[in-house]
Amino acid sequence: MTGSSLFPGLSATADVYVLSFPKCGRTWLRLLMAKAISLSWGLPMEMCRDLRLEEFSAADTRIPEITFWHDDRVGWRTPGQLSTDKEHYRDRRVVFLTRDLRDTTVSYYFQRSLRPDNPYTGPLGQFIGEHEGSLRTCVAFWNIWHACQDVPRSFLLTSYERLATDTSAELARIMAFCGLPGVEPEVLREAVEFASFPSMRAMELSDTLNSERLRPGRPGDPESFKTRRGIIGGFRDYLTASQVEEIDDLIRTNLVPDWRALAFAADDPVATAQHTRKPTR
C-alpha cells in the first residue's frame, strides 16, 4: 500500500475508511469486524496483525480494503489545525463513528493522561478546556465532516450507543455498507460474543492479540485500559455539575444542530436502557 500525499503512511488504496475521534469505540468495532470477516471468509484471526483489516484484503482481493484511523491525527490538533480538505475520500466509502461527547472527553482524558505517548499532566477539569485534542477539537472535527459528508462516494453515520443497543444489527448494517453483505446471523452472534466487554478485557489483560491497540497503558491501573468501563453515560461519575454544564454549553453553542443528538446520546433512555454494552447470552 502506498501512502496518501495528504497523509503520509495512510493507505491510498482503501475502499472504505472508518473514521472517528479517539475513544468512540473504534477498537471494539475493529474487533467485531475482524472476527466476522475471519469467520465468514475462513481466514485466521492471526492474519489480521495488530487488528489491521487491510491484511484480509491482501489475502483475498474479494474482501474490500478497510482502513481505520483518526483522520488527520485529530486527537493531537487544535480546531484551527484541522484540515477541511476531504478530497482523499472522494470515490471511497466512509463510516463515521460517534459517541456522546461527554463520555468521549472523559475517556480520552484517561487515555491521554495514563497511556504512554506524551501523557497529559493536568486534571480532568483543565483538559475539558484545552484547545488541543479535547472537546473543542472534536466539535470542530464533527462540524467539518457534517459539511463534507457528500464528498465520499457514500457516507454512513453510526455511533457507539447504536452499536451497544443492538450490536448484531448495527454490525450487519456496517458490514453491508462496507461491501460485505449477507453475514450469517450465527457469525454475527459469535463476533459479538468474541468482542464483548468481558472478553475484550480478558484479551487485554492477557495480551492475547499481542497488539498495542488492545493493551493497558499501566497494567495496574484499570483507568488506563482500552476496555476501561464501557458504560454509556459514565461521564457522570467523573464530572461535576458545573463541568457538565460547561461541556453542554460548548456543544450547544458550537456543534451543528443536526448532530447535537449524537453529542448527547447518553441522555437517550433507549441508549442507556442497558447502561453498559449489551451482555451476550
Side-chain angles (χ1 to χ4, degrees):
M1 296 180 293
T2 57
S4 160
S5 60
L6 288 175
F7 312 115
L10 175 66
S11 170
T13 59
D15 304 296
V16 184
Y17 291 93
V18 181
L19 308 178
S20 73
F21 194 81
K23 305 308 294 180
C24 288
R26 198 175 67 136
T27 301
W28 179 29
L29 181 55
R30 271 181 186 267
L31 203 56
L32 284 165
M33 293 183 70
K35 188 63 173 178
I37 293 171
S38 171
L39 292 170
S40 294
W41 293 83
L43 298 170
M45 277 291 290
E46 292 76 15
M47 180 179 291
C48 187
R49 293 169 295 180
D50 204 24
L51 291 178
R52 290 179 54 84
L53 271 63
E54 299 95 328
E55 304 292 347
F56 288 136
S57 178
D60 190 327
T61 56
R62 294 174 299 172
I63 300 173
E65 184 179 329
I66 303 170
T67 292
F68 281 68
W69 91 303
H70 290 313
D71 187 28
D72 195 25
R73 296 188 74 247
V74 62
W76 299 95
R77 307 288 192 199
T78 65
Q81 292 171 334
L82 293 176
S83 172
T84 59
D85 180 2
K86 303 304 176 187
E87 282 299 308
H88 175 77
Y89 301 101
R90 193 170 293 281
D91 299 325
R92 273 57 175 256
R93 299 170 185 160
V94 167
V95 177
F96 196 79
L97 176 63
T98 68
R99 186 185 184 186
D100 184 292
L101 286 182
R102 297 156 300 182
D103 279 335
T104 301
T105 301
V106 170
S107 190
Y108 193 43
Y109 166 73
F110 283 113
Q111 173 159 312
R112 283 287 305 269
S113 60
L114 297 178
R115 294 183 71 85
D117 328 317
N118 189 20
Y120 182 80
T121 57
L124 174 57
Q126 181 179 319
F127 182 72
I128 292 168
E130 293 288 355
H131 285 265
E132 179 187 283
S134 191
L135 179 63
R136 286 180 174 83
T137 300
C138 190
V139 167
F141 180 59
W142 282 23
N143 284 339
I144 289 168
W145 267 107
H146 178 271
C148 294
Q149 61 187 295
D150 292 333
V151 173
R153 174 159 61 96
S154 48
F155 182 87
L156 181 72
L157 188 63
T158 187
S159 70
Y160 183 97
E161 293 79 16
R162 186 164 179 159
L163 270 170
T165 299
D166 191 340
T167 310
S168 289
E170 190 62 7
L171 176 59
R173 188 174 81 103
I174 294 168
M175 295 281 284
F177 174 83
C178 292
L180 296 164
V183 180
E184 294 293 331
E186 182 55 39
V187 167
L188 293 170
R189 284 193 293 272
E190 191 168 338
V192 171
E193 183 174 356
F194 179 79
S196 69
F197 189 88
S199 175
M200 283 184 67
R201 171 55 70 91
M203 283 188 269
E204 188 166 5
L205 282 166
S206 62
D207 199 18
T208 301
L209 298 179
N210 190 28
S211 171
E212 190 61 39
R213 302 184 198 281
L214 196 60
R215 187 178 290 152
R218 299 179 186 178
D221 188 341
E223 297 287 16
S224 77
F225 278 62
K226 282 282 190 176
T227 47
R228 194 176 61 85
R229 294 184 75 199
I231 295 176
I232 295 173
F235 69 88
R236 298 183 181 95
D237 298 329
Y238 297 92
L239 299 175
T240 66
S242 63
Q243 287 170 339
V244 172
E245 184 177 355
E246 176 188 352
I247 292 173
D248 289 358
D249 285 347
L250 191 151
I251 292 168
R252 292 192 184 100
T253 302
N254 295 283
L255 183 63
V256 63
D258 285 353
W259 284 7
R260 284 181 196 161
L262 298 168
F264 298 120
D267 294 341
D268 182 347
V270 174
T272 57
Q274 290 288 145
H275 196 55
T276 60
R277 279 162 43 178
K278 214 168 193 180
T280 58
R281 290 179 173 81

